[in-house]
Amino acid sequence: QVQLVESGGGLVQAGGSLRLSCTASGRTSSMYPMGWFRQAPGKEREFVAGSSSSTSSGGSTYYADFVKGRFTISRDTAKNTVYLQMNSLKPEDTAVYYCAADRGYKAWVPTTADHYDYWGQGTQVTVSS
């Protein structure tokens, strides 16, 4: 079993930045693809960014179009932590952000929620205009 705990959410003005962290514990592995999703009130959960399984040669990342150039996902395998650096935030980025882990090896980034086996409790991000 894997437990995921997110942190770093908060209230920020439009144009500002936040860095979300997700720390994994339990039966963790750098082999797990990791992803960030978000869910705004009244909307479905949507993919934001993801990182494929991490190998000795590295891994790949993938972003939703609406965050490309603004958000960056990274992972520190020694700390079992994945980060989401969010810059140039917009009011429409307001949502609960969730971290997720896929327990299967994948050289690509899963972008749908059904691929992920473990989820964090979520952290609120609010961007004011």
Side-chain angles (χ1 to χ4, degrees):
Q1 193 74 345
V2 174
Q3 294 80 41
L4 303 174
V5 179
E6 302 101 332
S7 62
L11 173 64
V12 65
Q13 288 188 333
S17 299
L18 284 174
R19 188 177 80 157
L20 305 184
S21 300
C22 172
T23 300
S25 61
R27 299 186 64 183
T28 62
S29 172
S30 63
M31 298 284 284
Y32 292 164
M34 300 290 294
W36 286 97
F37 287 74
R38 70 186 188 186
Q39 188 167 19
K43 295 188 177 181
E44 294 189 352
R45 191 171 297 192
E46 60 183 356
F47 173 81
V48 175
S51 172
S52 69
S53 295
S54 182
T55 66
S56 58
S57 60
S60 62
T61 58
Y62 188 79
Y63 299 90
D65 287 343
F66 52 79
V67 302
K68 282 182 180 177
R70 300 190 298 126
F71 291 11
T72 303
I73 186 171
S74 60
R75 59 196 300 172
D76 184 333
T77 54
K79 295 182 178 180
N80 287 329
T81 299
V82 62
Y83 303 98
L84 184 68
Q85 178 67 43
M86 306 187 294
N87 298 328
S88 302
L89 283 161
K90 304 175 182 179
E92 50 263 45
D93 294 318
T94 295
V96 177
Y97 283 71
Y98 297 91
C99 172
D102 176 345
R103 64 185 173 192
Y105 172 83
K106 290 182 176 65
W108 45 277
V109 178
T111 60
T112 57
D114 57 359
H115 276 102
Y116 291 87
D117 303 289
Y118 307 105
W119 292 83
Q121 81 289 351
T123 185
Q124 176 71 46
V125 171
T126 302
V127 184
S128 63
S129 57

